[in-house]
Amino acid sequence: MKQIDSVFLFIVFFIFLAVAGVAQKIPDFGIIPRPEVVEWNGQYSDVRNIQKGTIAFTPFEENMLAPFLSVDSKGDKQTAGFRYETDEKFDDEAYEIIISKNDIHIKGGSRKSIQYGLTSLAQMIRHHGFPLPEVRIYDKPYLSYRGMHLDVCRHFFTVEEVKKYLDYLAYYKYNHFHWHLTEDQGWRIEIKKYPKLQEIAAYRKETLIGHYSDKPHKFDGQKYGGYYTQDEVKEIVAYATERHIEVIPEIEMPGHALAALAAYPELGCSGGPYEVATKWGVFDDVFCPTENTFRFLEGVIDEVIDLFPYEYIHIGGDECPKTSWENSPVCQKIMLENGLKDAHELQSYFIKRMEKYINAKGRKIIGWDEILEGGLAPNATVMSWRGTEGGIAAAKQKHKVIMTPGSHCYFDYYQSESADEPVAIGGYTPLKKVYHWNPVPNVLNDEEKKYIWGGQANVWTEYIKTFSQVEYMAYARGMAMSEALWHTQKSYAEFLKKFVLHQEYWSGQGVKVANHIYEIKPVFESGDGKGVFIRFDDIPEGRKVSHVIGDRSESGDRFFLSEKGNHEFFVEGKSISKPLIISFNPHLATDAVIKTEPLPSPKYSGNGPGSIINGVMGSDNKYGGSEWLGFEGKDVKINLDWEKSKNISKVSLRFYKGEGQWIYLPRKAEMKIVGKNGLILKTVTTKDIQTDKKVATVVFEVDAKEVTSLQFFIQNYGIIPAGAQGSGHGAWLFVDEVVVE
Ligand code: ACM
């Protein structure tokens, strides 16, 4: 019925607009995520305060609305022109707000959706302000699982900080909090049956300084750790529940278990001794699938079940090297007894056993997509992080799926290409990319799509030491993600207008939300034999870009680069962009024609193959963005051709090394020179391509005349070895500037 009402009113409204000839965009009135339907009659309401109505506000709601509640002479909150009620005609998460001349009326299918309505109202008041428009808003989410995750193991956050995070989640209508509680680097939940988890597993003796890829590794020498007592866990769960957020605890198994093994070495296959990890990565020592381990984990799960009322428990399942199992006679015996043909089936056996235990207690499991390997546990929900493939496979097997692919959902990735960004794990996931994400893959048919429960952003904290850094990394992109999960009809331009208002609000609260929306992003055009052009697509309407090099300046939106040096670009008019400095070093390849075979992966394709001959060096610290090209698990051929031959004395290529991010130096790089001297072959192999840094440069000194073509063959590292992050996956190969002199 309400659907019919809403559709009817919407149509009537648009007929009115058409008749009136008003080509008007309906504003979102500051609400993130953008509501489904906003109908505005162009008038403004007289209502200037909010009353409580018959159902009490929760502290969260009271807090949001407090500045707008009026107080009478007796100190009571005034109650004029405002009411809300639940109405069973609405879905559980659907609500309606009607603001008329003298009244605000909210209806929702549940107390939860009333909170959503109140949140939208509070956002309108805060970010749009009085007078409020006379509107009807009808709203409901696109996806029913909308989650954010927080890793409290790599770095620990206080109860108050977790509560702040929950407030943020509620403000953007997230309904799940995935709390990553156990890891190699620390066990963070009190389990009364196993006190050594608190005494030993909760602390590491020191922590890695700088990035994992910077060698040699250095440590800070400071003991680090902490855990949540069961009372604190209950307090956080109650706080989340009051905000209609379900809390999913994650207890990692069988991998990422080193902290637990340090406390109880008998749970590992070698018997230890083990130490709580002091650096990041994947570790060979994992839970050994013995009866003793199952008894331990069942004891943990018993207490976890008592603390967390929600139906779902996450049991990890990711990144479990099989080395310790393969070397263990005990594991070989277990495999023989249970008819398991390999270590993947042993992992599947592990997960299925734990699922059975958890199901018997009336709860369900979620696992990372590795739980598909060796056979999926019968009732498991899959969280797809290594891309969307795992999620797609699980949906086809009729299992529920939460999409959280690294490419769009890892908020520990860089969000800007700017050189002054704080150190992050890697990658490049800017705001716009998050915004345009659709968690439901088109390759699924309508029936399969129903298994995509929703999506989630993950905040891993290896490089996030403080809660203020959590806010910096997560809050801007969390707003974009909230629209990606709530809506299919999105408008990035409208989102940006609201983003500025929300960002100002958070800033007023002392919260530093990343703001890269005024950075101008270059698009390079190169590699077609015509030299290097730079273009700016995303500049505000009606604006031009200024280009300054030395004494010369010009205005436009596309420029040819010729002079060596620092080129400065900025948006003309009111200074709304940081100037962009491009250091351009032309060389003999900048006017070559380039071909790569295969093409770079769409995940890391820069501005196409020409990116590696555009005279601009990719960062020494970041491989995402527009300079580096990434090739996944493949050997690569690169051809450079010139119409007019060149005399060449030196050629260099750069390769990125980030083994923690699955990026390996090549096994071999070969160069063939076609020129006047005939064909010259130059080869370098692994031992020549080593480095302690993140970038290795391979240099070929040559003396070649009238060269018309250079042909490179670069051999990929191959399969990532057991025990390393991404083990079993084909290594990534990252190449940047091929400098020819
Ligand atoms: C993960 O990022 N290892 C799930």
Side-chain angles (χ1 to χ4, degrees), residues 256 318-319 368 385 410 460:
H256 288 295
D318 60 319
E319 299 183 314
W368 299 108
W385 72 280
Y410 272 42
W460 301 102

Side-chain angles (χ1 to χ4, degrees), residues 100-120:
S100 52
K101 201 79 195 154
N102 298 305
D103 183 63
I104 298 176
H105 188 184
I106 298 182
K107 283 186 195 171
S110 64
R111 190 61 187 80
K112 178 200 223 172
S113 62
I114 295 289
Q115 177 187 292
Y116 292 167
L118 289 167
T119 306
S120 291

